[in-house]
Amino acid sequence: MSLTVVNPATEEPIAELEQAGVEEADDAVARAKAAYPAWRAVSPADRARLLRRVATLVEENGEELARIESQNVGKPISGARGEIGMVAQVFHFYAGAVDKHGGETIPVAGGVAATFREPLGVVGLIVPWNFPANIASWKLGPALACGNTVVLKPAELTPLSAVRLGELCLEAGIPEGVVNVVVGKGSVVGQRLIEHPDVAKIAFTGSTEVGRIVMQGAAGTIKRVTLELGGKSANVVFEDADLEKAAAAAPYAVFDNAGQDCCARSRVLVQRSVYDRFLDLLVDATRGVQVGDPLDDATEMGPLVSAAHRETVASFVEGEPAFRGDIPDGPGYWYPCTLVEATNDDRVAREEVFGPVAAVIPFEDEADAIRLSNDTPYGLSGSIWTRNGARALRVARATDAGVLSVNANTSVRVQTPFGGFKQSGFGRELGLHALEGYSEVKSVFISTEG
Ligand code: NAD
Protein backbone atom coordinates (compact mmCIF):
# COMPACT_ATOMS: atom_id res chain seq x y z
CA MET A 1 0.00 0.00 0.00
CA SER A 2 1.43 3.38 -0.91
CA LEU A 3 1.64 6.45 1.31
CA THR A 4 1.00 9.96 -0.01
CA VAL A 5 3.07 12.60 1.74
CA VAL A 6 1.51 16.08 1.78
CA ASN A 7 2.93 19.59 2.22
CA PRO A 8 0.81 21.10 5.04
CA ALA A 9 1.34 24.64 3.71
CA THR A 10 -0.10 23.87 0.26
CA GLU A 11 -2.12 20.68 0.89
CA GLU A 12 -0.37 19.33 -2.26
CA PRO A 13 1.15 15.84 -2.40
CA ILE A 14 4.96 15.96 -2.45
CA ALA A 15 5.89 12.28 -2.46
CA GLU A 16 4.48 8.81 -2.83
CA LEU A 17 6.19 6.05 -0.84
CA GLU A 18 5.71 2.32 -0.49
CA GLN A 19 4.47 1.51 2.99
CA ALA A 20 6.04 -1.39 4.80
CA GLY A 21 4.05 -4.02 6.65
CA VAL A 22 4.94 -6.64 9.25
CA GLU A 23 6.95 -8.70 6.74
CA GLU A 24 9.19 -5.74 5.81
CA ALA A 25 9.59 -4.84 9.48
CA ASP A 26 10.74 -8.41 10.15
CA ASP A 27 13.16 -8.21 7.20
CA ALA A 28 14.63 -4.98 8.57
CA VAL A 29 15.12 -6.53 12.02
CA ALA A 30 16.77 -9.56 10.38
CA ARG A 31 19.15 -7.28 8.44
CA ALA A 32 19.99 -5.34 11.61
CA LYS A 33 20.57 -8.58 13.51
CA ALA A 34 22.88 -9.91 10.78
CA ALA A 35 24.87 -6.67 10.70
CA TYR A 36 25.26 -6.44 14.48
CA PRO A 37 28.30 -8.68 15.17
CA ALA A 38 30.48 -6.94 12.60
CA TRP A 39 29.32 -3.42 13.58
CA ARG A 40 29.91 -4.06 17.24
CA ALA A 41 33.43 -5.24 16.38
CA VAL A 42 34.35 -2.09 14.42
CA SER A 43 37.14 -0.33 16.30
CA PRO A 44 36.11 2.76 18.27
CA ALA A 45 38.30 4.97 16.09
CA ASP A 46 36.69 3.67 12.90
CA ARG A 47 33.17 3.93 14.30
CA ALA A 48 33.90 7.52 15.32
CA ARG A 49 35.26 8.28 11.85
CA LEU A 50 32.08 6.92 10.21
CA LEU A 51 29.80 8.97 12.50
CA ARG A 52 31.85 12.06 11.78
CA ARG A 53 31.47 11.37 8.07
CA VAL A 54 27.66 11.26 8.52
CA ALA A 55 27.87 14.64 10.30
CA THR A 56 29.84 16.10 7.40
CA LEU A 57 27.40 14.73 4.82
CA VAL A 58 24.49 16.21 6.76
CA GLU A 59 26.29 19.57 6.66
CA GLU A 60 27.02 19.24 2.94
CA ASN A 61 23.38 18.33 2.21
CA GLY A 62 21.99 20.69 4.84
CA GLU A 63 19.96 22.93 2.57
CA GLU A 64 18.30 19.96 0.85
CA LEU A 65 17.45 18.35 4.21
CA ALA A 66 16.12 21.65 5.58
CA ARG A 67 13.84 22.07 2.56
CA ILE A 68 12.58 18.50 2.88
CA GLU A 69 11.80 19.12 6.54
CA SER A 70 10.17 22.49 5.87
CA GLN A 71 7.96 21.14 3.09
CA ASN A 72 7.03 17.94 4.88
CA VAL A 73 6.24 19.41 8.32
CA GLY A 74 5.29 22.97 7.25
CA LYS A 75 7.98 24.43 9.50
CA PRO A 76 9.75 27.72 8.72
CA ILE A 77 12.90 27.20 6.68
CA SER A 78 15.02 29.22 9.14
CA GLY A 79 14.03 26.86 11.97
CA ALA A 80 14.50 23.82 9.74
CA ARG A 81 18.06 24.96 8.95
CA GLY A 82 18.76 25.20 12.66
CA GLU A 83 17.38 21.72 13.28
CA ILE A 84 19.46 20.16 10.52
CA GLY A 85 22.48 22.00 11.89
CA MET A 86 21.76 20.29 15.19
CA VAL A 87 21.53 16.89 13.45
CA ALA A 88 25.11 17.38 12.24
CA GLN A 89 26.22 18.50 15.71
CA VAL A 90 24.64 15.43 17.25
CA PHE A 91 26.63 13.11 14.96
CA HIS A 92 29.83 15.09 15.69
CA PHE A 93 29.18 14.88 19.43
CA TYR A 94 28.60 11.10 19.47
CA ALA A 95 31.54 10.54 17.13
CA GLY A 96 33.62 12.18 19.85
CA ALA A 97 31.93 10.12 22.56
CA VAL A 98 32.58 6.67 21.04
CA ASP A 99 35.94 6.17 22.76
CA LYS A 100 35.12 8.03 25.96
CA HIS A 101 32.30 5.85 27.22
CA GLY A 102 34.36 3.44 29.27
CA GLY A 103 33.97 1.38 32.41
CA GLU A 104 35.69 1.41 35.79
CA THR A 105 37.83 -0.78 37.98
CA ILE A 106 36.44 -1.54 41.41
CA PRO A 107 38.47 -2.53 44.48
CA VAL A 108 37.41 -6.03 45.55
CA ALA A 109 39.07 -8.88 47.44
CA GLY A 110 40.95 -11.62 45.57
CA GLY A 111 41.28 -10.03 42.18
CA VAL A 112 40.26 -7.24 39.87
CA ALA A 113 36.69 -6.25 39.04
CA ALA A 114 36.08 -4.20 35.94
CA THR A 115 32.96 -2.90 34.24
CA PHE A 116 32.38 -2.74 30.51
CA ARG A 117 29.74 -0.98 28.44
CA GLU A 118 28.24 -3.45 26.00
CA PRO A 119 25.83 -2.61 23.18
CA LEU A 120 22.26 -3.94 23.41
CA GLY A 121 21.93 -5.40 19.90
CA VAL A 122 19.12 -4.32 17.56
CA VAL A 123 17.36 -1.16 18.73
CA GLY A 124 13.99 0.05 17.40
CA LEU A 125 13.74 3.83 17.06
CA ILE A 126 10.19 5.19 16.81
CA VAL A 127 9.94 8.95 16.23
CA PRO A 128 7.17 11.57 15.86
CA TRP A 129 6.34 14.07 13.13
CA ASN A 130 7.18 17.37 14.82
CA PHE A 131 11.01 17.29 14.64
CA PRO A 132 11.54 14.25 12.40
CA ALA A 133 15.25 14.45 11.50
CA ASN A 134 16.31 16.05 14.75
CA ILE A 135 14.74 13.48 17.05
CA ALA A 136 15.89 10.62 14.79
CA SER A 137 19.46 11.88 15.19
CA TRP A 138 19.17 12.05 19.00
CA LYS A 139 18.60 8.30 18.89
CA LEU A 140 20.80 7.31 15.93
CA GLY A 141 23.89 9.09 17.30
CA PRO A 142 24.19 7.37 20.70
CA ALA A 143 22.76 4.05 19.46
CA LEU A 144 25.40 3.75 16.73
CA ALA A 145 28.18 5.13 18.94
CA CYS A 146 27.55 2.32 21.43
CA GLY A 147 27.74 -0.33 18.70
CA ASN A 148 24.05 -1.13 18.23
CA THR A 149 22.32 -1.61 14.90
CA VAL A 150 18.96 0.09 14.40
CA VAL A 151 15.58 0.01 12.73
CA LEU A 152 14.22 3.57 12.47
CA LYS A 153 10.48 4.08 12.02
CA PRO A 154 9.54 7.66 11.17
CA ALA A 155 6.00 9.00 11.64
CA GLU A 156 3.62 8.30 8.76
CA LEU A 157 3.09 12.02 8.08
CA THR A 158 6.79 12.93 7.87
CA PRO A 159 9.02 10.09 6.62
CA LEU A 160 11.08 12.00 4.03
CA SER A 161 14.03 13.29 6.08
CA ALA A 162 14.50 9.91 7.79
CA VAL A 163 14.74 8.19 4.41
CA ARG A 164 17.35 10.75 3.29
CA LEU A 165 19.31 10.36 6.55
CA GLY A 166 19.38 6.60 5.99
CA GLU A 167 20.85 7.18 2.52
CA LEU A 168 23.51 9.52 3.94
CA CYS A 169 24.50 6.91 6.55
CA LEU A 170 25.12 4.44 3.71
CA GLU A 171 26.98 7.06 1.68
CA ALA A 172 29.16 7.75 4.72
CA GLY A 173 30.28 4.12 4.66
CA ILE A 174 28.22 2.75 7.54
CA PRO A 175 27.80 -0.88 6.47
CA GLU A 176 24.51 -2.10 5.01
CA GLY A 177 22.10 -3.39 7.62
CA VAL A 178 23.38 -1.16 10.42
CA VAL A 179 20.81 1.59 9.80
CA ASN A 180 17.43 0.46 8.44
CA VAL A 181 14.60 2.91 7.80
CA VAL A 182 11.12 1.41 7.61
CA VAL A 183 8.22 3.63 6.55
CA GLY A 184 4.92 2.31 7.83
CA LYS A 185 2.06 2.67 10.24
CA GLY A 186 2.70 2.89 13.98
CA SER A 187 0.03 0.32 14.70
CA VAL A 188 1.67 -2.13 12.24
CA VAL A 189 5.43 -1.55 11.90
CA GLY A 190 5.83 0.21 15.26
CA GLN A 191 3.82 -2.45 17.05
CA ARG A 192 5.86 -5.22 15.39
CA LEU A 193 9.13 -3.63 16.52
CA ILE A 194 7.79 -3.37 20.07
CA GLU A 195 6.92 -7.06 20.16
CA HIS A 196 9.76 -8.48 18.05
CA PRO A 197 11.90 -10.91 20.08
CA ASP A 198 15.09 -9.83 18.29
CA VAL A 199 14.68 -6.15 19.18
CA ALA A 200 16.47 -5.43 22.45
CA LYS A 201 15.17 -1.94 23.07
CA ILE A 202 12.63 0.60 21.88
CA ALA A 203 13.65 4.25 22.01
CA PHE A 204 10.36 6.07 21.60
CA THR A 205 9.39 9.70 21.22
CA GLY A 206 5.73 10.53 20.84
CA SER A 207 2.51 10.91 22.76
CA THR A 208 1.99 9.68 26.30
CA GLU A 209 -0.91 7.59 24.98
CA VAL A 210 1.32 5.60 22.58
CA GLY A 211 4.06 5.56 25.25
CA ARG A 212 1.72 3.41 27.35
CA ILE A 213 1.28 1.02 24.40
CA VAL A 214 5.08 0.80 24.07
CA MET A 215 5.50 -0.05 27.76
CA GLN A 216 2.79 -2.68 27.65
CA GLY A 217 4.07 -4.26 24.44
CA ALA A 218 7.65 -4.32 25.69
CA ALA A 219 6.67 -6.35 28.75
CA GLY A 220 6.37 -9.57 26.73
CA THR A 221 10.09 -9.69 25.92
CA ILE A 222 11.34 -7.56 28.86
CA LYS A 223 12.55 -5.04 26.31
CA ARG A 224 14.37 -1.97 27.44
CA VAL A 225 12.42 1.21 26.73
CA THR A 226 13.11 4.88 26.92
CA LEU A 227 10.12 7.17 26.50
CA GLU A 228 10.14 10.85 25.55
CA LEU A 229 6.48 11.81 25.78
CA GLY A 230 4.19 14.80 25.94
CA GLY A 231 4.44 17.95 28.03
CA LYS A 232 2.44 20.81 29.50
CA SER A 233 5.26 23.02 30.60
CA ALA A 234 5.02 26.30 32.48
CA ASN A 235 6.60 29.63 31.70
CA VAL A 236 6.67 31.22 35.16
CA VAL A 237 6.96 35.02 35.22
CA PHE A 238 7.63 36.62 38.61
CA GLU A 239 6.94 40.30 39.37
CA ASP A 240 10.70 40.93 39.72
CA ALA A 241 11.45 39.68 36.17
CA ASP A 242 12.52 41.80 33.23
CA LEU A 243 8.93 41.79 31.97
CA GLU A 244 9.73 43.23 28.53
CA LYS A 245 12.31 40.52 27.92
CA ALA A 246 10.06 37.76 29.26
CA ALA A 247 7.12 38.93 27.14
CA ALA A 248 9.24 39.23 24.00
CA ALA A 249 10.45 35.64 24.45
CA ALA A 250 7.21 34.01 25.60
CA PRO A 251 5.54 33.71 22.16
CA TYR A 252 8.49 31.73 20.84
CA ALA A 253 8.26 29.39 23.82
CA VAL A 254 4.85 28.24 22.67
CA PHE A 255 4.33 29.22 19.01
CA ASP A 256 7.66 27.85 17.80
CA ASN A 257 6.99 24.96 15.38
CA ALA A 258 3.34 26.17 15.54
CA GLY A 259 3.17 24.91 19.11
CA GLN A 260 3.84 21.36 17.97
CA ASP A 261 6.66 21.05 20.43
CA CYS A 262 6.78 18.73 23.44
CA CYS A 263 8.65 21.50 25.30
CA ALA A 264 6.11 24.23 24.48
CA ARG A 265 5.60 26.44 27.53
CA SER A 266 1.87 26.36 26.87
CA ARG A 267 0.99 27.51 30.40
CA VAL A 268 2.12 31.06 30.99
CA LEU A 269 1.97 31.56 34.79
CA VAL A 270 2.14 35.24 35.71
CA GLN A 271 2.31 36.79 39.18
CA ARG A 272 -0.99 38.58 39.82
CA SER A 273 0.67 41.90 40.75
CA VAL A 274 2.00 42.25 37.16
CA TYR A 275 -0.61 40.13 35.37
CA ASP A 276 -2.45 42.90 33.45
CA ARG A 277 0.74 44.64 32.41
CA PHE A 278 2.38 41.40 31.30
CA LEU A 279 -0.69 40.28 29.35
CA ASP A 280 -0.62 43.57 27.38
CA LEU A 281 3.08 43.05 26.61
CA LEU A 282 2.44 39.42 25.65
CA VAL A 283 -0.38 40.36 23.27
CA ASP A 284 1.88 42.93 21.60
CA ALA A 285 4.72 40.46 21.24
CA THR A 286 2.42 37.75 19.89
CA ARG A 287 1.03 40.16 17.30
CA GLY A 288 4.58 40.38 15.95
CA VAL A 289 4.97 36.65 15.17
CA GLN A 290 5.42 36.34 11.39
CA VAL A 291 3.01 33.67 10.11
CA GLY A 292 3.20 32.62 6.46
CA ASP A 293 4.99 30.70 3.73
CA PRO A 294 7.41 28.31 5.47
CA LEU A 295 9.94 28.71 2.65
CA ASP A 296 10.17 32.48 3.23
CA ASP A 297 13.27 33.30 5.33
CA ALA A 298 11.31 35.82 7.42
CA THR A 299 8.56 33.38 8.45
CA GLU A 300 8.45 32.42 12.13
CA MET A 301 5.38 30.17 12.16
CA GLY A 302 3.93 27.88 9.53
CA PRO A 303 0.76 25.78 9.42
CA LEU A 304 -0.13 22.77 11.55
CA VAL A 305 0.85 19.37 10.24
CA SER A 306 -2.59 18.15 9.10
CA ALA A 307 -6.26 19.04 8.84
CA ALA A 308 -7.15 16.46 11.50
CA HIS A 309 -4.63 17.94 13.91
CA ARG A 310 -6.03 21.44 13.29
CA GLU A 311 -9.47 20.20 14.37
CA THR A 312 -8.03 18.85 17.60
CA VAL A 313 -6.23 22.13 18.31
CA ALA A 314 -9.36 24.18 17.58
CA SER A 315 -11.37 22.10 20.04
CA PHE A 316 -9.36 23.62 22.91
CA VAL A 317 -10.45 27.20 22.29
CA GLU A 318 -13.90 28.03 23.62
CA GLY A 319 -15.37 31.54 23.69
CA GLU A 320 -13.44 34.69 22.82
CA PRO A 321 -9.67 34.40 23.42
CA ALA A 322 -7.57 37.28 24.79
CA PHE A 323 -5.79 37.38 21.44
CA ARG A 324 -6.14 35.64 18.08
CA GLY A 325 -3.60 36.37 15.34
CA ASP A 326 -3.98 36.47 11.57
CA ILE A 327 -3.46 33.55 9.21
CA PRO A 328 -2.86 33.50 5.45
CA ASP A 329 -5.76 33.04 3.04
CA GLY A 330 -5.85 30.03 0.77
CA PRO A 331 -4.74 26.44 1.23
CA GLY A 332 -2.74 25.16 4.20
CA TYR A 333 -3.62 23.85 7.66
CA TRP A 334 -3.25 27.26 9.34
CA TYR A 335 -4.18 28.03 12.89
CA PRO A 336 -3.65 31.46 14.46
CA CYS A 337 -1.48 32.29 17.48
CA THR A 338 -3.99 32.28 20.31
CA LEU A 339 -3.82 33.50 23.93
CA VAL A 340 -6.49 32.28 26.32
CA GLU A 341 -6.99 33.50 29.90
CA ALA A 342 -7.54 30.39 31.99
CA THR A 343 -7.25 28.63 35.31
CA ASN A 344 -5.00 25.66 35.80
CA ASP A 345 -8.08 23.42 35.98
CA ASP A 346 -9.33 24.25 32.47
CA ARG A 347 -8.87 21.65 29.73
CA VAL A 348 -6.58 24.05 27.80
CA ALA A 349 -4.24 24.06 30.81
CA ARG A 350 -4.40 20.35 31.60
CA GLU A 351 -4.03 18.64 28.23
CA GLU A 352 -1.29 18.96 25.66
CA VAL A 353 -2.77 21.12 22.86
CA PHE A 354 0.22 20.71 20.54
CA GLY A 355 -0.76 23.85 18.66
CA PRO A 356 -0.24 27.63 18.93
CA VAL A 357 -2.49 28.12 21.94
CA ALA A 358 -1.17 29.48 25.25
CA ALA A 359 -3.12 29.48 28.51
CA VAL A 360 -2.32 32.56 30.61
CA ILE A 361 -2.85 31.89 34.32
CA PRO A 362 -2.30 34.17 37.36
CA PHE A 363 -0.51 33.09 40.55
CA GLU A 364 -0.10 34.76 43.95
CA ASP A 365 3.40 34.08 45.26
CA GLU A 366 6.39 31.75 44.90
CA ALA A 367 4.72 28.82 46.68
CA ASP A 368 1.63 29.18 44.50
CA ALA A 369 3.78 29.31 41.34
CA ILE A 370 5.52 26.05 42.29
CA ARG A 371 2.21 24.40 43.18
CA LEU A 372 0.58 25.35 39.88
CA SER A 373 3.65 24.53 37.83
CA ASN A 374 3.71 21.01 39.30
CA ASP A 375 -0.06 20.55 39.13
CA THR A 376 0.04 18.58 35.88
CA PRO A 377 0.58 14.92 35.01
CA TYR A 378 3.52 15.98 32.82
CA GLY A 379 7.05 17.05 33.73
CA LEU A 380 9.16 17.78 30.69
CA SER A 381 10.44 21.35 30.72
CA GLY A 382 9.78 24.89 31.86
CA SER A 383 11.09 28.43 32.24
CA ILE A 384 11.48 30.74 35.22
CA TRP A 385 11.74 34.50 34.74
CA THR A 386 13.09 36.46 37.72
CA ARG A 387 16.00 38.78 38.59
CA ASN A 388 16.42 37.01 41.94
CA GLY A 389 19.07 34.30 41.49
CA ALA A 390 18.25 32.48 44.71
CA ARG A 391 14.57 32.34 43.81
CA ALA A 392 15.42 31.07 40.31
CA LEU A 393 17.37 28.17 41.76
CA ARG A 394 14.77 27.44 44.48
CA VAL A 395 11.97 27.26 41.95
CA ALA A 396 14.02 25.26 39.44
CA ARG A 397 14.88 22.70 42.13
CA ALA A 398 11.24 22.47 43.29
CA THR A 399 9.83 22.00 39.80
CA ASP A 400 9.11 18.38 38.84
CA ALA A 401 10.45 18.56 35.30
CA GLY A 402 13.52 17.30 33.49
CA VAL A 403 14.69 20.41 31.65
CA LEU A 404 14.43 23.96 32.98
CA SER A 405 15.74 27.31 31.88
CA VAL A 406 16.08 30.57 33.78
CA ASN A 407 15.44 33.82 31.88
CA ALA A 408 15.45 31.81 28.65
CA ASN A 409 13.18 29.48 26.68
CA THR A 410 15.52 26.83 25.42
CA SER A 411 15.36 23.17 26.43
CA VAL A 412 17.56 21.38 23.97
CA ARG A 413 21.33 21.35 23.71
CA VAL A 414 23.48 18.62 22.21
CA GLN A 415 25.65 18.46 25.34
CA THR A 416 22.99 18.36 28.08
CA PRO A 417 20.58 15.59 29.10
CA PHE A 418 17.01 15.91 27.89
CA GLY A 419 13.96 14.03 29.13
CA GLY A 420 10.96 14.04 31.39
CA PHE A 421 9.65 13.45 34.88
CA LYS A 422 6.23 11.88 35.57
CA GLN A 423 4.10 11.12 32.49
CA SER A 424 6.54 12.93 30.21
CA GLY A 425 8.49 9.68 30.20
CA PHE A 426 11.84 8.38 31.41
CA GLY A 427 15.37 7.97 30.15
CA ARG A 428 17.55 10.79 28.90
CA GLU A 429 18.55 11.78 25.39
CA LEU A 430 21.46 13.98 24.31
CA GLY A 431 24.67 14.62 26.19
CA LEU A 432 26.71 11.75 27.55
CA HIS A 433 23.66 10.60 29.54
CA ALA A 434 22.07 9.23 26.37
CA LEU A 435 24.80 6.58 26.11
CA GLU A 436 23.41 4.93 29.26
CA GLY A 437 20.24 4.12 27.37
CA TYR A 438 22.00 2.29 24.56
CA SER A 439 24.38 0.10 26.55
CA GLU A 440 24.37 -2.49 29.33
CA VAL A 441 26.86 -2.46 32.17
CA LYS A 442 28.80 -5.71 32.44
CA SER A 443 30.92 -6.55 35.45
CA VAL A 444 33.88 -8.90 35.03
CA PHE A 445 35.90 -10.32 37.94
CA ILE A 446 39.41 -11.66 37.28
CA SER A 447 40.94 -13.66 40.09
CA THR A 448 44.54 -12.85 41.02
CA GLU A 449 44.84 -15.78 43.38
CA GLY A 450 47.23 -18.66 42.71
P1 NAD B 1 2.39 9.56 18.31
O1 NAD B 1 2.55 8.99 19.67
O2 NAD B 1 1.07 9.53 17.68
O3 NAD B 1 3.38 8.85 17.29
C1 NAD B 1 4.78 8.75 17.53
C2 NAD B 1 5.31 7.57 16.76
O4 NAD B 1 4.73 6.39 17.27
C3 NAD B 1 4.99 7.60 15.26
O5 NAD B 1 6.09 7.12 14.53
C4 NAD B 1 3.82 6.64 15.17
O6 NAD B 1 3.72 6.03 13.91
C5 NAD B 1 4.19 5.62 16.22
N1 NAD B 1 3.07 4.83 16.72
C6 NAD B 1 1.78 5.17 16.77
N2 NAD B 1 1.04 4.14 17.27
C7 NAD B 1 1.91 3.15 17.56
C8 NAD B 1 1.77 1.84 18.10
N3 NAD B 1 0.59 1.34 18.45
N4 NAD B 1 2.88 1.11 18.26
C9 NAD B 1 4.08 1.61 17.93
N5 NAD B 1 4.28 2.81 17.40
C10 NAD B 1 3.20 3.59 17.21
O7 NAD B 1 2.98 11.04 18.43
P2 NAD B 1 3.00 12.15 17.30
O8 NAD B 1 1.60 12.63 17.13
O9 NAD B 1 3.80 11.71 16.11
O10 NAD B 1 3.89 13.27 18.02
C11 NAD B 1 3.36 14.13 18.92
C12 NAD B 1 3.63 13.71 20.36
O11 NAD B 1 5.03 13.47 20.55
C13 NAD B 1 3.28 14.76 21.36
O12 NAD B 1 2.63 14.19 22.46
C14 NAD B 1 4.62 15.32 21.78
O13 NAD B 1 4.64 15.91 23.05
C15 NAD B 1 5.47 14.11 21.72
N6 NAD B 1 6.88 14.49 21.61
C16 NAD B 1 7.70 14.31 22.68
C17 NAD B 1 9.03 14.71 22.60
C18 NAD B 1 9.96 14.52 23.76
O14 NAD B 1 11.16 14.47 23.52
N7 NAD B 1 9.49 14.39 24.98
C19 NAD B 1 9.52 15.27 21.43
C20 NAD B 1 8.66 15.46 20.37
C21 NAD B 1 7.33 15.05 20.47
PDB file of all heavy atoms in Angstrom, residues 178-190:
ATOM      1  N   VAL A 178      23.183  -1.799   9.112  1.00  0.00           N
ATOM      2  CA  VAL A 178      23.382  -1.156  10.424  1.00  0.00           C
ATOM      3  C   VAL A 178      22.255  -0.145  10.700  1.00  0.00           C
ATOM      4  O   VAL A 178      21.707  -0.094  11.788  1.00  0.00           O
ATOM      5  CB  VAL A 178      24.775  -0.480  10.503  1.00  0.00           C
ATOM      6  CG1 VAL A 178      24.914   0.335  11.790  1.00  0.00           C
ATOM      7  CG2 VAL A 178      25.873  -1.530  10.421  1.00  0.00           C
ATOM      8  N   VAL A 179      21.914   0.626   9.669  1.00  0.00           N
ATOM      9  CA  VAL A 179      20.809   1.593   9.800  1.00  0.00           C
ATOM     10  C   VAL A 179      19.720   1.208   8.803  1.00  0.00           C
ATOM     11  O   VAL A 179      19.958   1.201   7.589  1.00  0.00           O
ATOM     12  CB  VAL A 179      21.282   3.038   9.507  1.00  0.00           C
ATOM     13  CG1 VAL A 179      20.109   4.014   9.563  1.00  0.00           C
ATOM     14  CG2 VAL A 179      22.370   3.452  10.487  1.00  0.00           C
ATOM     15  N   ASN A 180      18.552   0.858   9.299  1.00  0.00           N
ATOM     16  CA  ASN A 180      17.432   0.464   8.437  1.00  0.00           C
ATOM     17  C   ASN A 180      16.275   1.412   8.699  1.00  0.00           C
ATOM     18  O   ASN A 180      15.891   1.602   9.854  1.00  0.00           O
ATOM     19  CB  ASN A 180      16.992  -0.967   8.782  1.00  0.00           C
ATOM     20  CG  ASN A 180      18.146  -1.952   8.696  1.00  0.00           C
ATOM     21  OD1 ASN A 180      18.432  -2.476   7.644  1.00  0.00           O
ATOM     22  ND2 ASN A 180      18.829  -2.171   9.817  1.00  0.00           N
ATOM     23  N   VAL A 181      15.739   1.999   7.639  1.00  0.00           N
ATOM     24  CA  VAL A 181      14.605   2.915   7.796  1.00  0.00           C
ATOM     25  C   VAL A 181      13.369   2.219   7.232  1.00  0.00           C
ATOM     26  O   VAL A 181      13.373   1.780   6.076  1.00  0.00           O
ATOM     27  CB  VAL A 181      14.856   4.249   7.061  1.00  0.00           C
ATOM     28  CG1 VAL A 181      13.680   5.203   7.265  1.00  0.00           C
ATOM     29  CG2 VAL A 181      16.153   4.896   7.559  1.00  0.00           C
ATOM     30  N   VAL A 182      12.341   2.094   8.040  1.00  0.00           N
ATOM     31  CA  VAL A 182      11.121   1.410   7.607  1.00  0.00           C
ATOM     32  C   VAL A 182       9.948   2.381   7.720  1.00  0.00           C
ATOM     33  O   VAL A 182       9.608   2.817   8.824  1.00  0.00           O
ATOM     34  CB  VAL A 182      10.850   0.154   8.474  1.00  0.00           C
ATOM     35  CG1 VAL A 182       9.613  -0.570   7.965  1.00  0.00           C
ATOM     36  CG2 VAL A 182      12.049  -0.773   8.453  1.00  0.00           C
ATOM     37  N   VAL A 183       9.355   2.698   6.571  1.00  0.00           N
ATOM     38  CA  VAL A 183       8.220   3.631   6.551  1.00  0.00           C
ATOM     39  C   VAL A 183       6.937   2.820   6.654  1.00  0.00           C
ATOM     40  O   VAL A 183       6.671   1.959   5.811  1.00  0.00           O
ATOM     41  CB  VAL A 183       8.233   4.450   5.240  1.00  0.00           C
ATOM     42  CG1 VAL A 183       6.999   5.346   5.149  1.00  0.00           C
ATOM     43  CG2 VAL A 183       9.506   5.276   5.148  1.00  0.00           C
ATOM     44  N   GLY A 184       6.176   3.064   7.689  1.00  0.00           N
ATOM     45  CA  GLY A 184       4.921   2.311   7.834  1.00  0.00           C
ATOM     46  C   GLY A 184       4.125   2.819   9.016  1.00  0.00           C
ATOM     47  O   GLY A 184       4.567   3.701   9.757  1.00  0.00           O
ATOM     48  N   LYS A 185       2.973   2.219   9.179  1.00  0.00           N
ATOM     49  CA  LYS A 185       2.058   2.675  10.242  1.00  0.00           C
ATOM     50  C   LYS A 185       2.590   2.301  11.625  1.00  0.00           C
ATOM     51  O   LYS A 185       3.157   1.220  11.820  1.00  0.00           O
ATOM     52  CB  LYS A 185       0.712   1.967  10.070  1.00  0.00           C
ATOM     53  CG  LYS A 185      -0.161   2.497   8.985  1.00  0.00           C
ATOM     54  CD  LYS A 185      -1.622   2.069   9.288  1.00  0.00           C
ATOM     55  CE  LYS A 185      -2.598   2.791   8.404  1.00  0.00           C
ATOM     56  NZ  LYS A 185      -2.679   2.244   7.053  1.00  0.00           N
ATOM     57  N   GLY A 186       2.317   3.182  12.596  1.00  0.00           N
ATOM     58  CA  GLY A 186       2.698   2.892  13.977  1.00  0.00           C
ATOM     59  C   GLY A 186       2.055   1.619  14.478  1.00  0.00           C
ATOM     60  O   GLY A 186       2.708   0.774  15.110  1.00  0.00           O
ATOM     61  N   SER A 187       0.768   1.478  14.176  1.00  0.00           N
ATOM     62  CA  SER A 187       0.031   0.321  14.699  1.00  0.00           C
ATOM     63  C   SER A 187       0.464  -0.990  14.041  1.00  0.00           C
ATOM     64  O   SER A 187       0.127  -2.067  14.526  1.00  0.00           O
ATOM     65  CB  SER A 187      -1.468   0.537  14.487  1.00  0.00           C
ATOM     66  OG  SER A 187      -1.706   0.779  13.112  1.00  0.00           O
ATOM     67  N   VAL A 188       1.215  -0.913  12.940  1.00  0.00           N
ATOM     68  CA  VAL A 188       1.665  -2.135  12.243  1.00  0.00           C
ATOM     69  C   VAL A 188       3.177  -2.311  12.447  1.00  0.00           C
ATOM     70  O   VAL A 188       3.616  -3.217  13.163  1.00  0.00           O
ATOM     71  CB  VAL A 188       1.313  -2.065  10.732  1.00  0.00           C
ATOM     72  CG1 VAL A 188       1.813  -3.317  10.009  1.00  0.00           C
ATOM     73  CG2 VAL A 188      -0.185  -1.878  10.538  1.00  0.00           C
ATOM     74  N   VAL A 189       3.955  -1.416  11.824  1.00  0.00           N
ATOM     75  CA  VAL A 189       5.425  -1.554  11.895  1.00  0.00           C
ATOM     76  C   VAL A 189       5.924  -1.248  13.312  1.00  0.00           C
ATOM     77  O   VAL A 189       6.747  -1.989  13.875  1.00  0.00           O
ATOM     78  CB  VAL A 189       6.100  -0.624  10.864  1.00  0.00           C
ATOM     79  CG1 VAL A 189       7.606  -0.605  11.057  1.00  0.00           C
ATOM     80  CG2 VAL A 189       5.750  -1.076   9.451  1.00  0.00           C
ATOM     81  N   GLY A 190       5.405  -0.155  13.903  1.00  0.00           N
ATOM     82  CA  GLY A 190       5.827   0.210  15.262  1.00  0.00           C
ATOM     83  C   GLY A 190       5.498  -0.914  16.236  1.00  0.00           C
ATOM     84  O   GLY A 190       6.345  -1.345  17.028  1.00  0.00           O
TER      85      GLY A 190
END
